[in-house]
Amino acid sequence: MNQVLGVIGSPISHSLSPVMHEAAYEELQLNCSYHAFHVESTQLKSAVEGVRSLGLKGINVTIPHKVDVIQYLDHIDPLAEEIGAVNTIVNDQGVLKGYNTDGDGYVYALLQRIGKTLHDKRILIVGAGGAAKGVALCLSKYGVKKMTITNRTSSKAEDLAVICSRYSDTDYLSLEMAQAELAEFDIIINTTSIGMAPNFDQMPLSLENLRKGAFVSDLIYNPYKTKLLIEAENKGSGIMNGVDMFVHQGALAFKKWFNKEAPVQIMKNSVIKHLGGSI
Ligand code: ATR
């Protein structure tokens, strides 16, 4: 019997998850289909009940439901609980289990791209919202040399730094100080929406003091290269856009549903093709 999976969110029509997951099912000849479901906040509870009653194998959860969905699940994975957000639900014979694969997806992507350990890296995270929390917590659990959080609202950077300090040496800086001390960092990660279409000319911080050989990454993939990444590349830096994190969070969700490795490269190719990028 065909097994149904999907993603719930609002807006959802531009989600690349169906393209990516269906490419994986085709590659592995799985008798499954993956659909995007538009779900407003007022319908969240009944949508989650629908997953159970209709027997969906699992779903992804995206904006704006990642936090609110937790209350409707039967079991929350400890990492998702700590992050305070769920992006993947497994329907285990009627028991709904919530996970968060965003942060670990980012760490996997970064490790693959850098090709070596992160234990000796000093990392600057720009932003302190939901996306930043998953990425920062997973990086600090992985064990980086030093992590600094910077954010427009400093109090949120401080709160996140306190949480991450449980696992790694983490502090926070004002945006002005982070820009002034940018040469101290090996990896800079933008987790904010600054630079996302249609605001192509915006940057979350100045790269004037970027250290030679530093690596710059952006969670945004629309545009494919943000102004931040274009400037970093012009300065000779290695760069990574949000596609890698998106693909790896999807691959980790796939593994939770099917208990086998996902065809990561096939999934990535399908996303890049859809975005009009070059593989
Ligand atoms: P997400 O789940 O995508 O992380 P979020 O939790 O709303 O979304 O967090 C958005 C992040 O982008 C925050 O760090 C936010 O800064 P504030 O905490 O000061 O609000 C940052 N951000 C968004 N728009 C911004 C802007 N125009 N200038 C500076 N920071 C911005």
Side-chain angles (χ1 to χ4, degrees):
M1 196 178 76
N2 179 277
Q3 290 183 305
V4 179
L5 299 97
V7 56
I8 60 169
S10 173
I12 201 65
S13 60
H14 295 295
S15 171
L16 295 175
S17 290
V19 165
M20 178 170 76
H21 284 285
E22 295 225 328
Y25 305 159
E26 193 182 332
E27 172 69 13
L28 300 182
Q29 300 194 338
L30 299 177
N31 189 14
C32 299
S33 57
Y34 187 108
H35 306 272
F37 298 103
H38 184 113
V39 173
E40 295 291 353
S41 295
T42 51
Q43 298 296 323
L44 181 59
K45 183 171 188 236
S46 53
V48 174
E49 282 167 358
V51 171
R52 204 190 327 257
S53 57
L54 299 175
L56 270 63
K57 186 173 178 65
I59 54 166
N60 285 127
V61 181
T62 190
I63 291 167
H65 304 316
K66 289 185 185 186
V67 176
D68 290 342
V69 78
I70 288 178
Q71 61 191 307
Y72 305 123
L73 304 179
D74 302 310
H75 171 86
I76 310 296
D77 175 69
L79 175 63
E81 189 144 29
E82 199 169 13
I83 294 171
V86 158
N87 80 325
T88 302
I89 298 173
V90 176
N91 181 1
D92 186 3
Q93 296 176 334
V95 179
L96 299 186
K97 301 179 176 175
Y99 299 88
N100 191 310
T101 67
D102 287 329
D104 278 339
Y106 182 81
V107 175
Y108 270 62
L110 188 61
L111 281 167
Q112 284 230 326
R113 190 53 79 93
I114 302 253
K116 48 189 170 223
T117 173
L118 300 171
H119 294 301
D120 58 347
K121 300 287 187 258
R122 296 158 301 176
I123 298 186
L124 176 68
I125 308 248
V126 186
K133 193 169 181 188
V135 166
L137 248 178
C138 289
L139 280 170
S140 60
K141 285 189 162 198
Y142 170 88
V144 297
K145 183 176 180 191
K146 165 101 192 169
M147 195 161 69
T148 298
I149 321 276
T150 185
N151 191 44
R152 172 177 62 181
T153 311
S154 271
S155 58
K156 283 169 70 182
E158 181 179 6
D159 291 347
L160 184 52
V162 167
I163 293 170
C164 293
S165 323
R166 290 182 208 146
Y167 308 104
S168 71
D169 180 6
T170 309
D171 61 8
Y172 72 100
L173 282 177
S174 66
L175 268 169
E176 294 72 26
M177 288 298 288
Q179 289 178 127
E181 296 181 12
L182 203 65
E184 300 296 315
F185 298 99
D186 304 303
I187 300 174
I188 290 123
I189 304 166
N190 174 42
T191 70
T192 76
S193 52
I194 304 169
M196 190 185 284
N199 301 313
F200 302 105
D201 60 343
Q202 293 181 3
M203 281 177 67
L205 85 175
S206 159
L207 292 182
E208 197 181 332
N209 296 323
L210 188 69
R211 192 171 66 69
K212 196 170 162 20
F215 186 87
V216 179
S217 128
D218 204 323
L219 267 46
I220 295 168
Y221 54 77
N222 180 19
Y224 201 66
K225 264 188 212 173
T226 55
K227 188 173 182 204
L228 181 79
L229 294 187
I230 292 170
E231 283 208 4
E233 197 169 44
N234 287 343
K235 283 171 168 276
S237 282
I239 59 168
M240 180 171 89
N241 68 11
V243 167
D244 294 79
M245 172 178 176
F246 177 69
V247 169
H248 280 277
Q249 64 77 28
L252 289 173
F254 179 100
K255 197 170 177 184
K256 298 240 175 276
W257 295 322
F258 297 101
N259 206 18
K260 64 168 101 174
E261 295 299 326
V264 177
Q265 195 57 48
I266 297 286
M267 293 165 79
K268 184 171 175 177
N269 291 352
S270 73
V271 172
I272 292 175
K273 200 168 144 199
H274 207 81
L275 288 172
S278 54
I279 294 167

